[in-house]
mmCIF file of all heavy atoms in Angstrom:
data_model
loop_
_atom_site.group_PDB
_atom_site.id
_atom_site.type_symbol
_atom_site.label_atom_id
_atom_site.label_comp_id
_atom_site.label_asym_id
_atom_site.label_seq_id
_atom_site.Cartn_x
_atom_site.Cartn_y
_atom_site.Cartn_z
ATOM 1 N N ILE A 227 -153.536 -44.469 121.760
ATOM 2 C CA ILE A 227 -152.629 -43.249 121.231
ATOM 3 C C ILE A 227 -151.410 -43.408 122.112
ATOM 4 O O ILE A 227 -151.316 -43.762 123.337
ATOM 5 C CB ILE A 227 -153.365 -41.956 121.797
ATOM 6 C CG1 ILE A 227 -154.676 -41.767 120.969
ATOM 7 C CG2 ILE A 227 -152.428 -40.788 121.475
ATOM 8 C CD1 ILE A 227 -155.460 -40.654 121.223
ATOM 9 N N GLY A 233 -141.515 -36.741 121.026
ATOM 10 C CA GLY A 233 -142.755 -35.989 120.987
ATOM 11 C C GLY A 233 -143.772 -36.081 119.914
ATOM 12 O O GLY A 233 -144.656 -35.242 119.700
ATOM 13 N N THR A 239 -156.544 -47.411 115.750
ATOM 14 C CA THR A 239 -158.054 -47.823 115.975
ATOM 15 C C THR A 239 -158.248 -49.334 115.905
ATOM 16 O O THR A 239 -159.358 -49.740 116.009
ATOM 17 C CB THR A 239 -158.979 -46.990 115.015
ATOM 18 O OG1 THR A 239 -158.631 -47.444 113.764
ATOM 19 C CG2 THR A 239 -158.894 -45.538 115.300
ATOM 20 N N GLY A 241 -156.147 -51.795 117.601
ATOM 21 C CA GLY A 241 -155.313 -52.495 118.692
ATOM 22 C C GLY A 241 -153.842 -52.388 118.411
ATOM 23 O O GLY A 241 -153.158 -53.254 118.992
ATOM 24 N N ASN A 246 -151.368 -44.363 112.772
ATOM 25 C CA ASN A 246 -151.438 -43.048 112.042
ATOM 26 C C ASN A 246 -150.631 -41.916 112.794
ATOM 27 O O ASN A 246 -150.953 -41.829 113.998
ATOM 28 C CB ASN A 246 -152.879 -42.627 111.697
ATOM 29 C CG ASN A 246 -153.564 -43.506 110.713
ATOM 30 O OD1 ASN A 246 -153.042 -43.905 109.701
ATOM 31 N ND2 ASN A 246 -154.816 -43.899 111.205
ATOM 32 N N ASP A 250 -149.040 -33.827 113.064
ATOM 33 C CA ASP A 250 -149.090 -32.563 112.260
ATOM 34 C C ASP A 250 -150.396 -31.887 112.431
ATOM 35 O O ASP A 250 -150.520 -30.639 112.046
ATOM 36 C CB ASP A 250 -148.863 -33.030 110.796
ATOM 37 C CG ASP A 250 -147.404 -33.299 110.462
ATOM 38 O OD1 ASP A 250 -146.574 -32.873 111.336
ATOM 39 O OD2 ASP A 250 -147.157 -33.951 109.576
ATOM 40 N N PHE A 251 -151.490 -32.629 112.937
ATOM 41 C CA PHE A 251 -152.733 -31.903 113.290
ATOM 42 C C PHE A 251 -152.482 -30.710 114.294
ATOM 43 O O PHE A 251 -153.214 -29.761 114.272
ATOM 44 C CB PHE A 251 -153.730 -32.860 113.840
ATOM 45 C CG PHE A 251 -154.865 -32.202 114.365
ATOM 46 C CD1 PHE A 251 -155.983 -31.779 113.619
ATOM 47 C CD2 PHE A 251 -155.070 -32.019 115.792
ATOM 48 C CE1 PHE A 251 -157.177 -31.144 114.086
ATOM 49 C CE2 PHE A 251 -156.222 -31.245 116.209
ATOM 50 C CZ PHE A 251 -157.143 -30.926 115.496
ATOM 51 N N GLY A 258 -146.653 -14.277 111.513
ATOM 52 C CA GLY A 258 -145.565 -13.792 110.815
ATOM 53 C C GLY A 258 -144.615 -14.806 110.213
ATOM 54 O O GLY A 258 -143.645 -14.506 109.551
ATOM 55 N N SER A 259 -144.925 -16.098 110.409
ATOM 56 C CA SER A 259 -144.047 -17.199 110.091
ATOM 57 C C SER A 259 -144.920 -18.451 109.656
ATOM 58 O O SER A 259 -146.087 -18.411 110.015
ATOM 59 C CB SER A 259 -142.941 -17.481 110.953
ATOM 60 O OG SER A 259 -143.562 -18.085 112.176
ATOM 61 N N ASN A 277 -162.232 -41.959 127.383
ATOM 62 C CA ASN A 277 -162.202 -41.229 126.036
ATOM 63 C C ASN A 277 -161.448 -40.023 126.104
ATOM 64 O O ASN A 277 -161.132 -39.328 124.992
ATOM 65 C CB ASN A 277 -163.624 -41.107 125.650
ATOM 66 C CG ASN A 277 -164.507 -42.374 125.444
ATOM 67 O OD1 ASN A 277 -163.947 -43.202 124.743
ATOM 68 N ND2 ASN A 277 -165.609 -42.384 125.801
ATOM 69 N N SER A 291 -159.027 -34.039 123.966
ATOM 70 C CA SER A 291 -159.945 -34.823 123.207
ATOM 71 C C SER A 291 -160.887 -35.645 124.168
ATOM 72 O O SER A 291 -160.421 -36.158 125.102
ATOM 73 C CB SER A 291 -159.153 -35.868 122.372
ATOM 74 O OG SER A 291 -160.139 -36.752 121.691
ATOM 75 N N SER A 293 -162.936 -37.877 122.653
ATOM 76 C CA SER A 293 -163.317 -38.858 121.719
ATOM 77 C C SER A 293 -162.229 -39.867 121.332
ATOM 78 O O SER A 293 -162.073 -40.317 120.141
ATOM 79 C CB SER A 293 -163.829 -38.262 120.400
ATOM 80 O OG SER A 293 -162.806 -37.498 119.797
ATOM 81 N N ARG A 302 -157.852 -23.204 126.146
ATOM 82 C CA ARG A 302 -157.822 -21.821 126.235
ATOM 83 C C ARG A 302 -156.641 -21.352 127.240
ATOM 84 O O ARG A 302 -156.412 -20.249 127.408
ATOM 85 C CB ARG A 302 -159.062 -21.258 126.669
ATOM 86 C CG ARG A 302 -160.107 -21.401 125.604
ATOM 87 C CD ARG A 302 -161.306 -20.492 125.725
ATOM 88 N NE ARG A 302 -162.121 -20.701 124.507
ATOM 89 C CZ ARG A 302 -163.281 -20.260 124.431
ATOM 90 N NH1 ARG A 302 -163.823 -19.633 125.442
ATOM 91 N NH2 ARG A 302 -164.022 -20.454 123.307
ATOM 92 N N THR A 315 -163.766 -39.105 139.559
ATOM 93 C CA THR A 315 -165.120 -39.589 139.201
ATOM 94 C C THR A 315 -166.021 -38.567 138.356
ATOM 95 O O THR A 315 -167.013 -38.865 137.680
ATOM 96 C CB THR A 315 -165.965 -39.710 140.461
ATOM 97 O OG1 THR A 315 -166.008 -38.520 141.240
ATOM 98 C CG2 THR A 315 -165.258 -40.878 141.356
ATOM 99 N N PRO A 317 -166.056 -36.513 134.907
ATOM 100 C CA PRO A 317 -165.337 -36.622 133.741
ATOM 101 C C PRO A 317 -164.884 -35.290 133.194
ATOM 102 O O PRO A 317 -163.928 -35.265 132.323
ATOM 103 C CB PRO A 317 -166.195 -37.431 132.707
ATOM 104 C CG PRO A 317 -167.465 -37.507 133.350
ATOM 105 C CD PRO A 317 -167.383 -37.149 134.876
ATOM 106 N N TRP A 319 -163.998 -32.442 135.055
ATOM 107 C CA TRP A 319 -163.187 -31.758 135.956
ATOM 108 C C TRP A 319 -161.689 -32.020 135.866
ATOM 109 O O TRP A 319 -161.308 -33.216 135.796
ATOM 110 C CB TRP A 319 -163.618 -31.911 137.420
ATOM 111 C CG TRP A 319 -165.022 -31.428 137.753
ATOM 112 C CD1 TRP A 319 -166.042 -31.043 136.888
ATOM 113 C CD2 TRP A 319 -165.521 -31.156 139.042
ATOM 114 N NE1 TRP A 319 -167.128 -30.673 137.604
ATOM 115 C CE2 TRP A 319 -166.799 -30.594 138.969
ATOM 116 C CE3 TRP A 319 -165.013 -31.221 140.335
ATOM 117 C CZ2 TRP A 319 -167.602 -30.364 140.004
ATOM 118 C CZ3 TRP A 319 -165.661 -30.970 141.357
ATOM 119 C CH2 TRP A 319 -167.114 -30.521 141.264
ATOM 120 N N SER A 327 -145.358 -16.691 133.392
ATOM 121 C CA SER A 327 -144.470 -16.424 132.261
ATOM 122 C C SER A 327 -143.301 -15.793 132.566
ATOM 123 O O SER A 327 -142.146 -16.104 131.965
ATOM 124 C CB SER A 327 -145.206 -15.522 131.250
ATOM 125 O OG SER A 327 -145.618 -14.413 131.846
ATOM 126 N N LYS A 332 -136.823 -16.001 132.976
ATOM 127 C CA LYS A 332 -135.641 -16.163 133.755
ATOM 128 C C LYS A 332 -134.892 -17.441 133.462
ATOM 129 O O LYS A 332 -133.685 -17.470 133.365
ATOM 130 C CB LYS A 332 -136.100 -16.089 135.140
ATOM 131 C CG LYS A 332 -136.544 -14.749 135.643
ATOM 132 C CD LYS A 332 -136.847 -14.717 137.041
ATOM 133 C CE LYS A 332 -137.525 -13.347 137.327
ATOM 134 N NZ LYS A 332 -137.868 -13.017 138.667
ATOM 135 N N GLY A 347 -145.590 -10.150 136.348
ATOM 136 C CA GLY A 347 -145.379 -10.213 137.776
ATOM 137 C C GLY A 347 -144.286 -11.147 138.175
ATOM 138 O O GLY A 347 -143.535 -11.710 137.506
ATOM 139 N N ASN A 350 -144.178 -17.500 139.997
ATOM 140 C CA ASN A 350 -144.822 -18.402 140.993
ATOM 141 C C ASN A 350 -145.686 -19.344 140.283
ATOM 142 O O ASN A 350 -145.902 -19.303 139.244
ATOM 143 C CB ASN A 350 -145.710 -17.544 142.043
ATOM 144 C CG ASN A 350 -146.886 -17.029 141.448
ATOM 145 O OD1 ASN A 350 -147.894 -17.651 141.424
ATOM 146 N ND2 ASN A 350 -146.818 -15.782 140.858
ATOM 147 N N SER A 356 -160.793 -26.488 136.291
ATOM 148 C CA SER A 356 -161.736 -26.407 135.226
ATOM 149 C C SER A 356 -162.791 -27.445 135.457
ATOM 150 O O SER A 356 -162.485 -28.568 135.819
ATOM 151 C CB SER A 356 -161.017 -26.672 133.776
ATOM 152 O OG SER A 356 -162.087 -26.699 132.758
ATOM 153 N N LEU A 359 -163.959 -29.330 131.039
ATOM 154 C CA LEU A 359 -162.825 -29.920 130.152
ATOM 155 C C LEU A 359 -161.989 -28.856 129.526
ATOM 156 O O LEU A 359 -161.592 -28.893 128.364
ATOM 157 C CB LEU A 359 -163.478 -30.647 129.065
ATOM 158 C CG LEU A 359 -163.731 -32.197 129.409
ATOM 159 C CD1 LEU A 359 -164.200 -32.974 128.141
ATOM 160 C CD2 LEU A 359 -162.409 -32.911 129.963
ATOM 161 N N GLY A 360 -161.651 -27.782 130.210
ATOM 162 C CA GLY A 360 -160.696 -26.879 129.834
ATOM 163 C C GLY A 360 -161.274 -25.634 128.962
ATOM 164 O O GLY A 360 -160.494 -24.970 128.300
ATOM 165 N N PHE A 373 -150.406 -30.285 145.034
ATOM 166 C CA PHE A 373 -151.891 -30.375 145.103
ATOM 167 C C PHE A 373 -152.384 -31.689 144.686
ATOM 168 O O PHE A 373 -151.651 -32.526 144.047
ATOM 169 C CB PHE A 373 -152.446 -29.247 144.204
ATOM 170 C CG PHE A 373 -152.031 -29.337 142.766
ATOM 171 C CD1 PHE A 373 -152.942 -30.105 141.988
ATOM 172 C CD2 PHE A 373 -150.946 -28.927 142.269
ATOM 173 C CE1 PHE A 373 -152.600 -30.256 140.570
ATOM 174 C CE2 PHE A 373 -150.587 -29.009 140.999
ATOM 175 C CZ PHE A 373 -151.363 -29.709 140.175
ATOM 176 N N PRO A 378 -161.775 -40.388 147.290
ATOM 177 C CA PRO A 378 -163.270 -40.732 147.243
ATOM 178 C C PRO A 378 -163.697 -41.682 148.298
ATOM 179 O O PRO A 378 -164.788 -41.726 148.677
ATOM 180 C CB PRO A 378 -163.178 -41.459 145.853
ATOM 181 C CG PRO A 378 -162.019 -41.098 145.064
ATOM 182 C CD PRO A 378 -161.000 -40.709 146.142
ATOM 183 N N ARG A 385 -162.948 -32.204 146.940
ATOM 184 C CA ARG A 385 -162.165 -31.234 147.692
ATOM 185 C C ARG A 385 -160.792 -31.237 147.071
ATOM 186 O O ARG A 385 -160.232 -32.225 146.641
ATOM 187 C CB ARG A 385 -161.995 -31.888 149.156
ATOM 188 C CG ARG A 385 -161.406 -30.816 150.114
ATOM 189 C CD ARG A 385 -161.568 -31.070 151.534
ATOM 190 N NE ARG A 385 -162.990 -30.871 151.867
ATOM 191 C CZ ARG A 385 -163.522 -31.128 153.028
ATOM 192 N NH1 ARG A 385 -162.772 -31.679 153.924
ATOM 193 N NH2 ARG A 385 -164.681 -30.835 153.377
ATOM 194 N N LYS A 393 -146.137 -16.343 152.215
ATOM 195 C CA LYS A 393 -145.673 -15.086 151.561
ATOM 196 C C LYS A 393 -145.900 -15.162 150.071
ATOM 197 O O LYS A 393 -145.376 -16.022 149.453
ATOM 198 C CB LYS A 393 -144.133 -14.988 151.930
ATOM 199 C CG LYS A 393 -143.532 -13.664 151.290
ATOM 200 C CD LYS A 393 -142.064 -13.530 151.487
ATOM 201 C CE LYS A 393 -141.582 -12.458 150.684
ATOM 202 N NZ LYS A 393 -140.133 -12.706 150.262
ATOM 203 N N PRO A 399 -139.965 -19.232 146.026
ATOM 204 C CA PRO A 399 -138.682 -20.103 146.305
ATOM 205 C C PRO A 399 -138.822 -21.554 145.532
ATOM 206 O O PRO A 399 -139.897 -21.989 145.565
ATOM 207 C CB PRO A 399 -138.628 -20.299 147.784
ATOM 208 C CG PRO A 399 -139.493 -19.249 148.351
ATOM 209 C CD PRO A 399 -140.585 -18.997 147.221
#
Side-chain angles (χ1 to χ4, degrees):
I227 298 177
T239 55
N246 293 313
D250 288 341
F251 170 81
S259 69
N277 296 314
S291 173
S293 60
R302 294 202 174 162
T315 60
W319 289 22
S327 59
K332 291 178 181 181
N350 71 89
S356 176
L359 273 183
F373 61 94
R385 187 167 289 177
K393 180 183 170 209

